[in-house]
Amino acid sequence: MEDCLVATQESELVLDGAGIDVLLSAGDLLARLSVVDESDVPQWLEENAGLLEELCDHLAQVRAGTWTPPSVPVTEAPAPAAEQVSPAPEPPATPAAANQTATAEASPPRPSVPPAEVPERSNALAALLFEVGGQRYGLEVSQVVEVIPAVRLRTIPGVPACVAGLCHYRGSMVPVLDLSQMLGGSSSARRYSTRLVLVRYETPTGPPQLLALLAERTAQGITDSLGQPISPGIVNPETPYLGALVSDGGEVFQMVTVDQLLSDDLRARLFAETQES
């Protein structure tokens, strides 16, 4: 999933509806795993080994751009014997009708799919979902660089509680913000679904910087079925990073604007070496 997200963000991969369905399936599976007791995880992995192997294969095909969802044949039950009737004789076919019949016989029949099984998708941006205090939030996928496990962090003395520390990422030390601390007032719990989300933070005066966000229950996955954004109707200067409310067809969640997460003072402290004089 992380490889697919990074490739999409770097314009190396274009996700269509079928590919996004695979990512959503992976998110659902991770969500199921996140509620399994730690002592039961080995048994859960053993019981779901076949499903995991199949899903990983599908994800690899999505990343390679070769994923094609399997077609599901549709069969119809024969009519009861009492209702079977002999077909009426057909009139002789004209040349034009004969050509149409030959064309129809040469084309394989297409399985009919009930409309309920073909969900409509909007053209809105996809969002990576996470949870704080039972409330769902979203980050635009275009802002996400990579999603990695919640590794051990190096603490920074004297910083606000929302700064969880520093993480080592590809040879660099990246500051980490705890979204649970910012949005809920308590530190993120270390669950299987707790992840570090690396995002591109646009500074007002200098080059873009990497910023890591510690977020719980990111295994909820990605949604691209976003409805029209709705203004929350409340302006809070203490939380300028909280954006519009959006529905994914079910529960409403709120978008978080990455570029508004840091105050001027905190940005200057975290990215001191990159600030222009």
mmCIF file of all heavy atoms in Angstrom, residues 37-75:
data_model
loop_
_atom_site.group_PDB
_atom_site.id
_atom_site.type_symbol
_atom_site.label_atom_id
_atom_site.label_comp_id
_atom_site.label_asym_id
_atom_site.label_seq_id
_atom_site.Cartn_x
_atom_site.Cartn_y
_atom_site.Cartn_z
ATOM 1 N N ASP A 37 -6.348 -9.090 19.611
ATOM 2 C CA ASP A 37 -5.466 -9.071 20.773
ATOM 3 C C ASP A 37 -4.075 -9.567 20.382
ATOM 4 O O ASP A 37 -3.928 -10.463 19.555
ATOM 5 C CB ASP A 37 -6.035 -9.970 21.878
ATOM 6 C CG ASP A 37 -5.262 -9.835 23.169
ATOM 7 O OD1 ASP A 37 -5.550 -8.903 23.931
ATOM 8 O OD2 ASP A 37 -4.364 -10.670 23.408
ATOM 9 N N GLU A 38 -3.054 -8.948 20.986
ATOM 10 C CA GLU A 38 -1.674 -9.250 20.589
ATOM 11 C C GLU A 38 -1.365 -10.739 20.712
ATOM 12 O O GLU A 38 -0.667 -11.314 19.867
ATOM 13 C CB GLU A 38 -0.708 -8.443 21.452
ATOM 14 C CG GLU A 38 0.744 -8.604 21.041
ATOM 15 C CD GLU A 38 1.662 -7.675 21.813
ATOM 16 O OE1 GLU A 38 1.146 -6.888 22.644
ATOM 17 O OE2 GLU A 38 2.883 -7.752 21.587
ATOM 18 N N SER A 39 -1.876 -11.383 21.725
ATOM 19 C CA SER A 39 -1.600 -12.806 21.913
ATOM 20 C C SER A 39 -2.252 -13.674 20.846
ATOM 21 O O SER A 39 -1.841 -14.817 20.626
ATOM 22 C CB SER A 39 -2.072 -13.253 23.301
ATOM 23 O OG SER A 39 -3.482 -13.055 23.436
ATOM 24 N N ASP A 40 -3.283 -13.141 20.177
ATOM 25 C CA ASP A 40 -4.002 -13.911 19.156
ATOM 26 C C ASP A 40 -3.498 -13.640 17.746
ATOM 27 O O ASP A 40 -4.005 -14.232 16.788
ATOM 28 C CB ASP A 40 -5.506 -13.591 19.217
ATOM 29 C CG ASP A 40 -6.126 -14.018 20.537
ATOM 30 O OD1 ASP A 40 -5.628 -14.990 21.122
ATOM 31 O OD2 ASP A 40 -7.094 -13.360 20.969
ATOM 32 N N VAL A 41 -2.529 -12.720 17.601
ATOM 33 C CA VAL A 41 -2.061 -12.350 16.270
ATOM 34 C C VAL A 41 -1.468 -13.530 15.505
ATOM 35 O O VAL A 41 -1.775 -13.723 14.325
ATOM 36 C CB VAL A 41 -1.051 -11.184 16.357
ATOM 37 C CG1 VAL A 41 -0.342 -10.973 15.018
ATOM 38 C CG2 VAL A 41 -1.771 -9.904 16.753
ATOM 39 N N PRO A 42 -0.581 -14.367 16.100
ATOM 40 C CA PRO A 42 -0.038 -15.505 15.331
ATOM 41 C C PRO A 42 -1.128 -16.407 14.760
ATOM 42 O O PRO A 42 -1.046 -16.839 13.607
ATOM 43 C CB PRO A 42 0.829 -16.231 16.365
ATOM 44 C CG PRO A 42 1.227 -15.164 17.337
ATOM 45 C CD PRO A 42 0.034 -14.281 17.450
ATOM 46 N N GLN A 43 -2.141 -16.701 15.564
ATOM 47 C CA GLN A 43 -3.229 -17.552 15.080
ATOM 48 C C GLN A 43 -4.001 -16.854 13.969
ATOM 49 O O GLN A 43 -4.373 -17.482 12.970
ATOM 50 C CB GLN A 43 -4.172 -17.910 16.229
ATOM 51 C CG GLN A 43 -5.345 -18.811 15.800
ATOM 52 C CD GLN A 43 -6.278 -19.142 16.949
ATOM 53 O OE1 GLN A 43 -5.975 -18.851 18.102
ATOM 54 N NE2 GLN A 43 -7.404 -19.750 16.645
ATOM 55 N N TRP A 44 -4.228 -15.547 14.125
ATOM 56 C CA TRP A 44 -4.953 -14.784 13.098
ATOM 57 C C TRP A 44 -4.178 -14.808 11.778
ATOM 58 O O TRP A 44 -4.755 -14.995 10.712
ATOM 59 C CB TRP A 44 -5.152 -13.349 13.581
ATOM 60 C CG TRP A 44 -6.033 -12.533 12.681
ATOM 61 C CD1 TRP A 44 -7.378 -12.345 12.786
ATOM 62 C CD2 TRP A 44 -5.620 -11.771 11.530
ATOM 63 N NE1 TRP A 44 -7.832 -11.518 11.781
ATOM 64 C CE2 TRP A 44 -6.776 -11.157 11.002
ATOM 65 C CE3 TRP A 44 -4.411 -11.558 10.909
ATOM 66 C CZ2 TRP A 44 -6.730 -10.358 9.863
ATOM 67 C CZ3 TRP A 44 -4.358 -10.756 9.767
ATOM 68 C CH2 TRP A 44 -5.509 -10.162 9.267
ATOM 69 N N LEU A 45 -2.856 -14.635 11.852
ATOM 70 C CA LEU A 45 -2.035 -14.645 10.642
ATOM 71 C C LEU A 45 -2.074 -16.012 9.968
ATOM 72 O O LEU A 45 -2.124 -16.111 8.737
ATOM 73 C CB LEU A 45 -0.597 -14.261 10.983
ATOM 74 C CG LEU A 45 -0.376 -12.822 11.441
ATOM 75 C CD1 LEU A 45 1.068 -12.617 11.873
ATOM 76 C CD2 LEU A 45 -0.741 -11.841 10.344
ATOM 77 N N GLU A 46 -2.072 -17.062 10.774
ATOM 78 C CA GLU A 46 -2.119 -18.417 10.216
ATOM 79 C C GLU A 46 -3.458 -18.670 9.537
ATOM 80 O O GLU A 46 -3.514 -19.232 8.432
ATOM 81 C CB GLU A 46 -1.874 -19.439 11.321
ATOM 82 C CG GLU A 46 -1.864 -20.883 10.824
ATOM 83 C CD GLU A 46 -1.580 -21.880 11.935
ATOM 84 O OE1 GLU A 46 -1.276 -21.429 13.071
ATOM 85 O OE2 GLU A 46 -1.659 -23.091 11.673
ATOM 86 N N GLU A 47 -4.533 -18.238 10.172
ATOM 87 C CA GLU A 47 -5.865 -18.471 9.611
ATOM 88 C C GLU A 47 -6.108 -17.661 8.347
ATOM 89 O O GLU A 47 -6.899 -18.065 7.491
ATOM 90 C CB GLU A 47 -6.932 -18.131 10.655
ATOM 91 C CG GLU A 47 -6.933 -19.063 11.860
ATOM 92 C CD GLU A 47 -7.902 -18.605 12.932
ATOM 93 O OE1 GLU A 47 -8.424 -17.473 12.807
ATOM 94 O OE2 GLU A 47 -8.149 -19.375 13.887
ATOM 95 N N ASN A 48 -5.445 -16.510 8.233
ATOM 96 C CA ASN A 48 -5.675 -15.633 7.079
ATOM 97 C C ASN A 48 -4.493 -15.621 6.117
ATOM 98 O O ASN A 48 -4.363 -14.705 5.310
ATOM 99 C CB ASN A 48 -5.943 -14.208 7.567
ATOM 100 C CG ASN A 48 -7.270 -14.084 8.294
ATOM 101 O OD1 ASN A 48 -8.319 -13.888 7.687
ATOM 102 N ND2 ASN A 48 -7.221 -14.207 9.616
ATOM 103 N N ALA A 49 -3.627 -16.645 6.194
ATOM 104 C CA ALA A 49 -2.422 -16.672 5.357
ATOM 105 C C ALA A 49 -2.770 -16.622 3.871
ATOM 106 O O ALA A 49 -2.144 -15.892 3.094
ATOM 107 C CB ALA A 49 -1.593 -17.915 5.680
ATOM 108 N N GLY A 50 -3.770 -17.409 3.465
ATOM 109 C CA GLY A 50 -4.147 -17.426 2.051
ATOM 110 C C GLY A 50 -4.669 -16.084 1.585
ATOM 111 O O GLY A 50 -4.314 -15.612 0.490
ATOM 112 N N LEU A 51 -5.500 -15.459 2.405
ATOM 113 C CA LEU A 51 -6.048 -14.151 2.056
ATOM 114 C C LEU A 51 -4.947 -13.098 1.966
ATOM 115 O O LEU A 51 -4.930 -12.266 1.056
ATOM 116 C CB LEU A 51 -7.098 -13.742 3.090
ATOM 117 C CG LEU A 51 -7.767 -12.381 2.891
ATOM 118 C CD1 LEU A 51 -8.489 -12.328 1.564
ATOM 119 C CD2 LEU A 51 -8.729 -12.090 4.030
ATOM 120 N N LEU A 52 -4.000 -13.152 2.920
ATOM 121 C CA LEU A 52 -2.896 -12.194 2.910
ATOM 122 C C LEU A 52 -2.033 -12.365 1.669
ATOM 123 O O LEU A 52 -1.630 -11.378 1.033
ATOM 124 C CB LEU A 52 -2.050 -12.365 4.169
ATOM 125 C CG LEU A 52 -2.682 -11.904 5.484
ATOM 126 C CD1 LEU A 52 -1.882 -12.423 6.670
ATOM 127 C CD2 LEU A 52 -2.780 -10.396 5.524
ATOM 128 N N GLU A 53 -1.725 -13.601 1.310
ATOM 129 C CA GLU A 53 -0.897 -13.858 0.127
ATOM 130 C C GLU A 53 -1.582 -13.353 -1.133
ATOM 131 O O GLU A 53 -0.955 -12.720 -1.993
ATOM 132 C CB GLU A 53 -0.610 -15.356 0.016
ATOM 133 C CG GLU A 53 0.304 -15.716 -1.144
ATOM 134 C CD GLU A 53 0.619 -17.199 -1.193
ATOM 135 O OE1 GLU A 53 0.185 -17.930 -0.279
ATOM 136 O OE2 GLU A 53 1.297 -17.632 -2.143
ATOM 137 N N GLU A 54 -2.882 -13.616 -1.245
ATOM 138 C CA GLU A 54 -3.627 -13.167 -2.417
ATOM 139 C C GLU A 54 -3.670 -11.643 -2.482
ATOM 140 O O GLU A 54 -3.482 -11.049 -3.552
ATOM 141 C CB GLU A 54 -5.043 -13.736 -2.374
ATOM 142 C CG GLU A 54 -5.914 -13.326 -3.564
ATOM 143 C CD GLU A 54 -7.324 -13.863 -3.450
ATOM 144 O OE1 GLU A 54 -7.835 -13.952 -2.318
ATOM 145 O OE2 GLU A 54 -7.926 -14.180 -4.489
ATOM 146 N N LEU A 55 -3.910 -10.998 -1.337
ATOM 147 C CA LEU A 55 -3.997 -9.545 -1.318
ATOM 148 C C LEU A 55 -2.654 -8.909 -1.662
ATOM 149 O O LEU A 55 -2.599 -7.923 -2.400
ATOM 150 C CB LEU A 55 -4.480 -9.077 0.055
ATOM 151 C CG LEU A 55 -4.718 -7.574 0.215
ATOM 152 C CD1 LEU A 55 -5.724 -7.080 -0.809
ATOM 153 C CD2 LEU A 55 -5.210 -7.263 1.615
ATOM 154 N N CYS A 56 -1.561 -9.462 -1.128
ATOM 155 C CA CYS A 56 -0.236 -8.924 -1.455
ATOM 156 C C CYS A 56 0.056 -9.057 -2.950
ATOM 157 O O CYS A 56 0.676 -8.180 -3.558
ATOM 158 C CB CYS A 56 0.836 -9.636 -0.639
ATOM 159 S SG CYS A 56 0.847 -9.183 1.106
ATOM 160 N N ASP A 57 -0.379 -10.173 -3.547
ATOM 161 C CA ASP A 57 -0.203 -10.354 -4.992
ATOM 162 C C ASP A 57 -0.994 -9.315 -5.768
ATOM 163 O O ASP A 57 -0.501 -8.733 -6.748
ATOM 164 C CB ASP A 57 -0.640 -11.763 -5.386
ATOM 165 C CG ASP A 57 -0.506 -12.015 -6.879
ATOM 166 O OD1 ASP A 57 0.625 -11.963 -7.395
ATOM 167 O OD2 ASP A 57 -1.535 -12.259 -7.536
ATOM 168 N N HIS A 58 -2.216 -9.035 -5.327
ATOM 169 C CA HIS A 58 -3.038 -8.019 -5.997
ATOM 170 C C HIS A 58 -2.405 -6.633 -5.858
ATOM 171 O O HIS A 58 -2.391 -5.849 -6.819
ATOM 172 C CB HIS A 58 -4.453 -8.022 -5.409
ATOM 173 C CG HIS A 58 -5.216 -9.257 -5.715
ATOM 174 N ND1 HIS A 58 -6.466 -9.524 -5.172
ATOM 175 C CD2 HIS A 58 -4.922 -10.326 -6.498
ATOM 176 C CE1 HIS A 58 -6.898 -10.683 -5.613
ATOM 177 N NE2 HIS A 58 -5.989 -11.189 -6.411
ATOM 178 N N LEU A 59 -1.875 -6.314 -4.663
ATOM 179 C CA LEU A 59 -1.224 -5.025 -4.453
ATOM 180 C C LEU A 59 0.012 -4.889 -5.345
ATOM 181 O O LEU A 59 0.283 -3.799 -5.877
ATOM 182 C CB LEU A 59 -0.837 -4.863 -2.985
ATOM 183 C CG LEU A 59 -1.983 -4.598 -2.005
ATOM 184 C CD1 LEU A 59 -1.496 -4.734 -0.570
ATOM 185 C CD2 LEU A 59 -2.583 -3.213 -2.231
ATOM 186 N N ALA A 60 0.763 -5.964 -5.500
ATOM 187 C CA ALA A 60 1.946 -5.920 -6.373
ATOM 188 C C ALA A 60 1.538 -5.652 -7.816
ATOM 189 O O ALA A 60 2.223 -4.901 -8.541
ATOM 190 C CB ALA A 60 2.714 -7.234 -6.266
ATOM 191 N N GLN A 61 0.421 -6.232 -8.243
ATOM 192 C CA GLN A 61 -0.065 -5.977 -9.600
ATOM 193 C C GLN A 61 -0.546 -4.539 -9.753
ATOM 194 O O GLN A 61 -0.332 -3.919 -10.806
ATOM 195 C CB GLN A 61 -1.188 -6.953 -9.941
ATOM 196 C CG GLN A 61 -0.741 -8.402 -10.045
ATOM 197 C CD GLN A 61 -1.889 -9.316 -10.416
ATOM 198 O OE1 GLN A 61 -2.610 -9.079 -11.388
ATOM 199 N NE2 GLN A 61 -2.093 -10.384 -9.639
ATOM 200 N N VAL A 62 -1.192 -3.996 -8.717
ATOM 201 C CA VAL A 62 -1.603 -2.591 -8.764
ATOM 202 C C VAL A 62 -0.384 -1.690 -8.902
ATOM 203 O O VAL A 62 -0.360 -0.762 -9.714
ATOM 204 C CB VAL A 62 -2.406 -2.221 -7.501
ATOM 205 C CG1 VAL A 62 -2.654 -0.709 -7.437
ATOM 206 C CG2 VAL A 62 -3.747 -2.948 -7.491
ATOM 207 N N ARG A 63 0.660 -1.976 -8.109
ATOM 208 C CA ARG A 63 1.884 -1.162 -8.181
ATOM 209 C C ARG A 63 2.530 -1.256 -9.555
ATOM 210 O O ARG A 63 3.059 -0.266 -10.078
ATOM 211 C CB ARG A 63 2.878 -1.618 -7.099
ATOM 212 C CG ARG A 63 4.227 -0.916 -7.177
ATOM 213 C CD ARG A 63 4.075 0.570 -6.959
ATOM 214 N NE ARG A 63 5.314 1.276 -7.168
ATOM 215 C CZ ARG A 63 5.723 1.767 -8.337
ATOM 216 N NH1 ARG A 63 4.975 1.611 -9.431
ATOM 217 N NH2 ARG A 63 6.861 2.412 -8.423
ATOM 218 N N ALA A 64 2.486 -2.426 -10.168
ATOM 219 C CA ALA A 64 3.091 -2.613 -11.493
ATOM 220 C C ALA A 64 2.204 -2.084 -12.617
ATOM 221 O O ALA A 64 2.637 -2.034 -13.770
ATOM 222 C CB ALA A 64 3.395 -4.090 -11.715
ATOM 223 N N GLY A 65 0.974 -1.696 -12.278
ATOM 224 C CA GLY A 65 0.064 -1.188 -13.308
ATOM 225 C C GLY A 65 -0.553 -2.268 -14.161
ATOM 226 O O GLY A 65 -1.034 -1.996 -15.254
ATOM 227 N N THR A 66 -0.540 -3.510 -13.681
ATOM 228 C CA THR A 66 -1.062 -4.634 -14.461
ATOM 229 C C THR A 66 -2.313 -5.251 -13.864
ATOM 230 O O THR A 66 -2.760 -6.302 -14.315
ATOM 231 C CB THR A 66 0.016 -5.729 -14.584
ATOM 232 O OG1 THR A 66 0.389 -6.183 -13.270
ATOM 233 C CG2 THR A 66 1.253 -5.190 -15.296
ATOM 234 N N TRP A 67 -2.867 -4.613 -12.819
ATOM 235 C CA TRP A 67 -4.008 -5.213 -12.136
ATOM 236 C C TRP A 67 -5.269 -5.119 -12.980
ATOM 237 O O TRP A 67 -5.653 -4.054 -13.452
ATOM 238 C CB TRP A 67 -4.240 -4.538 -10.800
ATOM 239 C CG TRP A 67 -5.566 -4.896 -10.152
ATOM 240 C CD1 TRP A 67 -6.625 -4.066 -9.941
ATOM 241 C CD2 TRP A 67 -5.957 -6.178 -9.666
ATOM 242 N NE1 TRP A 67 -7.649 -4.755 -9.334
ATOM 243 C CE2 TRP A 67 -7.258 -6.061 -9.159
ATOM 244 C CE3 TRP A 67 -5.314 -7.420 -9.603
ATOM 245 C CZ2 TRP A 67 -7.945 -7.118 -8.610
ATOM 246 C CZ3 TRP A 67 -6.007 -8.482 -9.051
ATOM 247 C CH2 TRP A 67 -7.309 -8.318 -8.562
ATOM 248 N N THR A 68 -5.910 -6.267 -13.157
ATOM 249 C CA THR A 68 -7.207 -6.353 -13.821
ATOM 250 C C THR A 68 -8.107 -7.195 -12.950
ATOM 251 O O THR A 68 -7.787 -8.370 -12.699
ATOM 252 C CB THR A 68 -7.090 -6.995 -15.214
ATOM 253 O OG1 THR A 68 -6.185 -6.232 -16.015
ATOM 254 C CG2 THR A 68 -8.447 -7.020 -15.898
ATOM 255 N N PRO A 69 -9.196 -6.639 -12.438
ATOM 256 C CA PRO A 69 -10.074 -7.428 -11.563
ATOM 257 C C PRO A 69 -10.644 -8.616 -12.314
ATOM 258 O O PRO A 69 -10.997 -8.504 -13.493
ATOM 259 C CB PRO A 69 -11.160 -6.432 -11.149
ATOM 260 C CG PRO A 69 -11.139 -5.375 -12.202
ATOM 261 C CD PRO A 69 -9.720 -5.284 -12.665
ATOM 262 N N PRO A 70 -10.703 -9.774 -11.680
ATOM 263 C CA PRO A 70 -11.244 -10.955 -12.348
ATOM 264 C C PRO A 70 -12.716 -10.789 -12.638
ATOM 265 O O PRO A 70 -13.468 -10.220 -11.840
ATOM 266 C CB PRO A 70 -11.002 -12.086 -11.333
ATOM 267 C CG PRO A 70 -10.926 -11.386 -10.006
ATOM 268 C CD PRO A 70 -10.295 -10.043 -10.292
ATOM 269 N N SER A 71 -13.121 -11.255 -13.800
ATOM 270 C CA SER A 71 -14.542 -11.202 -14.146
ATOM 271 C C SER A 71 -15.273 -12.323 -13.434
ATOM 272 O O SER A 71 -14.750 -13.433 -13.274
ATOM 273 C CB SER A 71 -14.735 -11.330 -15.663
ATOM 274 O OG SER A 71 -14.160 -12.538 -16.124
ATOM 275 N N VAL A 72 -16.461 -12.014 -12.982
ATOM 276 C CA VAL A 72 -17.265 -12.997 -12.262
ATOM 277 C C VAL A 72 -18.365 -13.497 -13.181
ATOM 278 O O VAL A 72 -19.231 -12.725 -13.602
ATOM 279 C CB VAL A 72 -17.894 -12.385 -10.995
ATOM 280 C CG1 VAL A 72 -18.726 -13.426 -10.264
ATOM 281 C CG2 VAL A 72 -16.810 -11.828 -10.105
ATOM 282 N N PRO A 73 -18.332 -14.785 -13.573
ATOM 283 C CA PRO A 73 -19.377 -15.291 -14.469
ATOM 284 C C PRO A 73 -20.738 -15.265 -13.797
ATOM 285 O O PRO A 73 -20.860 -15.508 -12.603
ATOM 286 C CB PRO A 73 -18.923 -16.731 -14.764
ATOM 287 C CG PRO A 73 -18.081 -17.098 -13.590
ATOM 288 C CD PRO A 73 -17.401 -15.832 -13.151
ATOM 289 N N VAL A 74 -21.731 -14.952 -14.579
ATOM 290 C CA VAL A 74 -23.094 -14.904 -14.068
ATOM 291 C C VAL A 74 -23.883 -16.053 -14.671
ATOM 292 O O VAL A 74 -23.949 -16.202 -15.892
ATOM 293 C CB VAL A 74 -23.765 -13.562 -14.423
ATOM 294 C CG1 VAL A 74 -25.217 -13.565 -13.967
ATOM 295 C CG2 VAL A 74 -23.008 -12.419 -13.790
ATOM 296 N N THR A 75 -24.432 -16.873 -13.839
ATOM 297 C CA THR A 75 -25.227 -18.005 -14.319
ATOM 298 C C THR A 75 -26.667 -17.815 -13.905
ATOM 299 O O THR A 75 -26.962 -17.259 -12.847
ATOM 300 C CB THR A 75 -24.696 -19.333 -13.735
ATOM 301 O OG1 THR A 75 -24.719 -19.253 -12.312
ATOM 302 C CG2 THR A 75 -23.247 -19.573 -14.170
#
